[in-house]
Amino acid sequence: MMCALGASVCFGTATVLQAMAARAAADSGTGGDAALLLRALRQWRYLAGLALDGVGFLLQIAALRSIPIYAVGAALAASLAVTAVVASRLLKVRLSRVEWGAVGVVCAGLAMLGLASGTEGEQVGSAELKYAMLATAAAVLLLGLVGGRLPERGRPLALGLGAGFGFGVVEVSVRLIDDLDPGALLRNPATYALLIGGGAAFLLLTSALQRGSVTTATAGLVIGETIGPAVVGVVWLGDRTREGLEWLAVLGFVVAVVGALALARFGEAPGEGT
């Protein structure tokens, strides 16, 4: 669980650092997206954010190899609480009492999950499940390619959900890769599901944040990357809780996700003073 929480802290802090760097780059000159990115890459905060993303991903993989997927997913959703707290300090963002309460709710949910979670399931995962993840990743990629044609009203939610499903494919695929030999990796459909799902998720999330409500898109992301993978972990990979604590795990999962949804506006770090 400590690896999952560490990943959450890394991702949440990286969001704020990258937002600060992007804002400074935008204020220092003009140009298109490419010019903005090049200026951002010269900012130490942006590079530090990228480094934290890398560390967070490694911690996420370690967590997925040791605890149930449902616990990891809830912890990653909690990165919104980290972003909110860090933004309140570094960007001087005012959090309402409800939002501070939501931060507390997320922490309480994670504490319940930490008490109730058992070890990861011992089931390896069938070939059918691996191909199902690959098919899901392909569907997410297709959604990314046609996302701009979706109706404007439902576009942010649909793209956010799609991004969540893509990140969910990554979570499940990590568990389905049981042999790191290069030849075995090339033969494993889960390897391609992980790569396609992760890439498509980033594409959809970027599009969602650019094309509509950050809050709506992030809410879809949280739902997509937590509920689906949790079900797969329990039903097909044997994830379980500690004896007699199933109710506490379910309650903790729901509480953590609901708290994260209340902080959905922090899916993209807000501007100073907002």
Side-chain angles (χ1 to χ4, degrees):
M1 192 66 176
M2 293 304 297
C3 287
L5 293 176
S8 177
V9 171
C10 288
F11 291 142
T13 305
T15 297
V16 178
L17 291 176
Q18 289 164 351
M20 294 175 70
R23 187 170 300 115
D27 292 340
S28 64
T30 59
D33 291 342
L36 176 62
L37 177 60
L38 289 175
R39 290 196 300 272
L41 286 171
R42 300 190 189 104
Q43 301 275 339
W44 70 266
R45 292 184 184 87
Y46 195 87
L47 296 177
L50 290 178
L52 283 173
D53 281 334
V55 173
F57 183 66
L58 293 177
L59 290 172
Q60 177 186 356
I61 291 176
L64 287 166
R65 306 295 294 186
S66 58
I67 63 174
I69 294 176
Y70 62 79
V72 178
L76 294 182
S79 66
L80 293 172
V82 176
T83 297
V85 172
V86 175
S88 72
R89 296 292 183 265
L90 298 184
L91 295 176
K92 308 301 180 184
V93 173
R94 295 186 183 90
L95 301 186
S96 67
R97 291 182 180 179
V98 172
E99 288 171 333
W100 277 117
V103 171
V105 165
V106 169
C107 293
L110 292 177
M112 287 186 278
L113 273 174
L115 290 173
S117 296
T119 58
E120 68 169 357
E122 297 180 355
Q123 298 181 28
V124 176
S126 64
E128 290 78 7
L129 181 58
K130 294 175 183 179
Y131 280 107
M133 289 300 102
L134 181 57
T136 303
V140 172
L141 180 60
L142 179 61
L143 177 60
L145 296 176
V146 302
R149 302 176 183 176
L150 296 174
E152 185 173 351
R153 174 176 293 184
R155 187 185 302 159
L157 180 59
L159 294 178
L161 276 171
F165 289 141
F167 287 125
V169 167
V170 172
E171 294 174 20
V172 175
S173 297
V174 168
R175 288 277 299 276
L176 296 177
I177 297 175
D178 54 355
D179 188 346
L180 298 181
D181 178 78
L185 286 174
L186 290 174
R187 292 190 299 270
N188 192 338
T191 303
Y192 304 101
L194 187 154
L195 296 174
I196 296 172
F202 278 113
L203 173 65
L204 263 70
L205 182 58
T206 300
S207 180
L209 295 177
Q210 290 176 341
R211 295 174 177 271
S213 166
V214 170
T215 300
T216 301
T218 304
L221 172 69
V222 169
I223 293 171
E225 73 175 345
T226 54
I227 297 177
V231 171
V232 172
V234 171
V235 176
W236 285 285
L237 296 178
D239 287 347
R240 294 293 181 266
T241 66
R242 294 181 181 178
E243 188 68 27
L245 292 181
E246 294 86 355
W247 66 272
L248 186 61
V250 173
L251 180 61
F253 180 84
V254 172
V255 166
V257 171
V258 169
L261 290 174
L263 296 167
R265 77 178 176 101
F266 295 95
E268 182 179 62
E272 186 173 349
T274 60

